[in-house]
Amino acid sequence: MKFNALMPELYVVNFQKSFNFYTKILGFKLEYQRTNPHFAFFSYHGSQLMIQELVRDEKEEMKLEHPFGRGMNFEIETPDLSELMKSLEKNNYPLTRGIKESWRDVGIKDKLFGSQEILVNDPDGYLLRFKKDLGEKIK
């Protein structure tokens, strides 16, 4: 397995709840896991993410308050937003924001790059932005 140069590791309060969210609802693939403390390493269409259950007293030591990860979001490429949305709906899991189309200027002359995106918070409040690439267009 090739590891990405940047791999976020998210602390979670309820490991099983988060594990189910990432694998059963979002469709992340479990690559490996450990116990004591509970830990899982996932992949999703080229993205990689880790979760680890907080051990006793870590929440207070780290001053973590829900929602975790305030001030950041994790952009995750997906080939199909509609399947992801169907799974979230089937599992009665709310979107933070529905589909939004965005066209961004990234400094390349006369070009805009587009994507469709949805936002969803995981069980601990981490903000996930799933993005489907729409390609490019002339300004």
Side-chain angles (χ1 to χ4, degrees):
M1 171 189 310
K2 183 177 189 275
F3 294 100
N4 291 347
L6 176 65
M7 297 181 295
E9 181 174 343
L10 310 178
Y11 285 106
V12 299
V13 173
N14 182 322
F15 181 82
Q16 196 58 51
K17 184 176 184 179
S18 293
F19 185 91
N20 290 341
F21 172 75
Y22 282 98
T23 58
K24 292 186 169 54
I25 297 175
L26 298 180
F28 279 66
K29 177 185 174 194
L30 174 65
E31 297 293 345
Y32 65 89
Q33 73 181 103
R34 298 189 297 259
T35 58
N36 198 22
H38 291 292
F39 169 92
F41 181 87
F42 303 118
S43 64
Y44 181 88
H45 302 286
S47 295
Q48 295 174 333
L49 182 75
M50 300 174 281
I51 62 170
Q52 179 175 310
E53 188 168 49
L54 284 167
V55 293
R56 188 206 262 152
D57 301 325
E58 280 183 332
K59 188 174 180 182
E60 286 89 33
E61 286 175 26
M62 292 185 207
K63 308 273 190 254
L64 292 175
E65 294 177 11
H66 195 274
F68 295 176
R70 284 176 275 176
M72 75 170 88
N73 71 72
F74 298 95
E75 182 176 283
I76 304 164
E77 286 193 33
T78 185
D80 191 347
L81 281 178
S82 61
E83 285 302 313
L84 194 55
M85 289 179 61
K86 283 179 193 172
S87 180
L88 289 161
E89 185 176 298
K90 176 183 160 195
N91 288 280
N92 295 314
Y93 202 93
L95 288 172
T96 304
R97 186 186 75 207
I99 290 183
K100 177 183 176 189
E101 188 171 302
S102 298
W103 290 91
R104 295 184 174 89
D105 184 341
V106 297
I108 298 175
K109 185 180 177 182
D110 299 329
K111 286 187 183 179
L112 297 174
F113 291 83
S115 62
Q116 286 183 324
E117 305 166 346
I118 61 169
L119 295 177
V120 63
N121 287 91
D122 86 348
D124 291 285
Y126 293 107
L127 184 59
L128 309 175
R129 179 169 28 129
F130 286 90
K131 162 188 118 158
K132 179 182 178 189
D133 183 31
L134 294 176
E136 58 186 65
K137 69 179 182 181
I138 304 297
K139 286 186 192 178

